[in-house]
Amino acid sequence: GNSVTQMEGPVTLSEEAFLTINCTYTATGYPSLFWYVQYPGEGLQLLLKATKADDKGSNKGFEATYRKETTSFHLEKGSVQVSDSAVYFCALRSGGYQKVTFGTGTKLQVIP
Amino acid sequence: GAGVSQSPSNKVTEKGKDVELRCDPISGHTALYWYRQSLGQGLEFLIYFQGNSAPDKSGLPSDRFSAERTGGSVSTLTIQRTQQEDSAVYLCASNPRLGDEQFFGPGTRLTVL
């Protein structure tokens, strides 16, 4: 079956540091890949997505590239801000199957 | 515009009682999803609806869990004879058609004492 593995948190960084949150997946076919973000006290919201190999999703300074050869979709940001403190979830949806499979989430804390 | 809404936001109940959780999807969204988020766990898929029908109920953890959707809109997730392990945040999401981004509600935090 489908599965998503992401690095465990919490991750604590200083403001303006470089961020990488690793995500690897197992799926049948050619999945679509997502990063969702959950800010404190808020619901999940889509941060970025990629639907085919070598696609790069980007939003709010965050980027992730769909790497089929390594089955990875690592999230990166060059310079984090305190406002980026949240829980980040990697997820996939495979083919016509509508269930989205999520990773366990990585909590990011950015300190001034 | 209005997003996905869920009620109640918090529910505390005693073991063995039944609970109903409600989800109001974004108007016009035909697909609706229920997930469960337990402490230290990822999001666990429970069930999804396309219109009023549920093609995939594979994630329901036991026969104590059921869900329905009426009028292609509001959905209710019912948990009968609640157990302490049912304590979690129950999230609802919707999207306008299959395959699009899912829009999540704020969740219902269920605590079973």
Side-chain angles (χ1 to χ4, degrees):
Chain A
N2 296 340
S3 67
V4 175
T5 303
Q6 59 182 107
M7 64 189 290
E8 293 191 18
V11 174
T12 302
L13 294 174
S14 297
E15 206 165 22
E16 299 184 2
F18 184 86
L19 169 71
T20 300
I21 300 178
N22 290 336
C23 172
T24 57
Y25 66 89
T26 301
T28 55
Y30 301 93
S32 295
L33 302 175
F34 309 87
W35 277 100
Y36 279 82
V37 59
Q38 187 174 32
Y39 297 103
E42 299 184 15
L44 271 81
Q45 54 188 276
L46 182 67
L47 179 60
L48 53 84
K49 68 178 183 182
T51 57
K52 62 182 186 296
D54 300 325
D55 269 3
K56 178 184 284 187
S58 62
N59 186 25
K60 298 182 180 180
F62 290 88
E63 293 183 340
T65 301
Y66 189 141
R67 301 287 188 198
K68 193 173 189 330
E69 63 276 13
T70 55
T71 62
S72 65
F73 193 55
H74 304 322
L75 182 68
E76 296 182 335
K77 186 175 185 181
S79 177
V80 294
Q81 305 300 311
V82 173
S83 57
D84 294 326
S85 298
V87 181
Y88 293 82
F89 292 88
C90 186
L92 70 84
R93 184 179 60 79
S94 181
Y97 192 53
Q98 296 312 309
K99 183 178 81 171
V100 176
T101 301
F102 287 84
T104 54
T106 302
K107 183 176 182 178
L108 170 66
Q109 182 176 12
V110 181
I111 55 178
Chain B
V4 177
S5 61
Q6 293 185 244
S7 60
S9 56
N10 279 285
K11 176 70 176 179
V12 180
T13 190
E14 293 179 348
K15 178 181 173 181
K17 295 287 181 67
D18 298 351
V19 295
E20 286 189 351
L21 312 180
R22 176 187 169 107
C23 172
D24 281 271
I26 293 172
S27 178
H29 281 195
T30 57
L32 184 149
Y33 309 77
W34 283 99
Y35 295 89
R36 178 167 71 174
Q37 185 177 20
S38 303
L39 188 63
Q41 305 287 321
L43 273 75
E44 175 188 8
F45 168 81
L46 299 178
I47 188 171
Y48 94 92
F49 290 88
Q50 179 59 26
N52 291 333
S53 65
D56 187 354
K57 302 180 182 179
S58 64
L60 294 177
S62 76
D63 58 7
R64 297 186 295 104
F65 286 72
S66 63
E68 65 175 13
R69 189 180 185 194
T70 55
S73 181
V74 172
S75 176
T76 302
L77 177 69
T78 301
I79 309 173
Q80 296 178 307
R81 305 180 303 281
T82 52
Q83 304 294 313
Q84 289 184 332
E85 61 263 27
D86 300 334
S87 297
V89 176
Y90 289 82
L91 294 169
C92 176
S94 69
N95 60 15
R97 61 182 182 274
L98 299 182
D100 285 342
E101 169 190 352
Q102 296 184 13
F103 295 82
F104 282 82
T108 293
R109 181 175 296 277
L110 174 66
T111 303
V112 182
L113 302 177

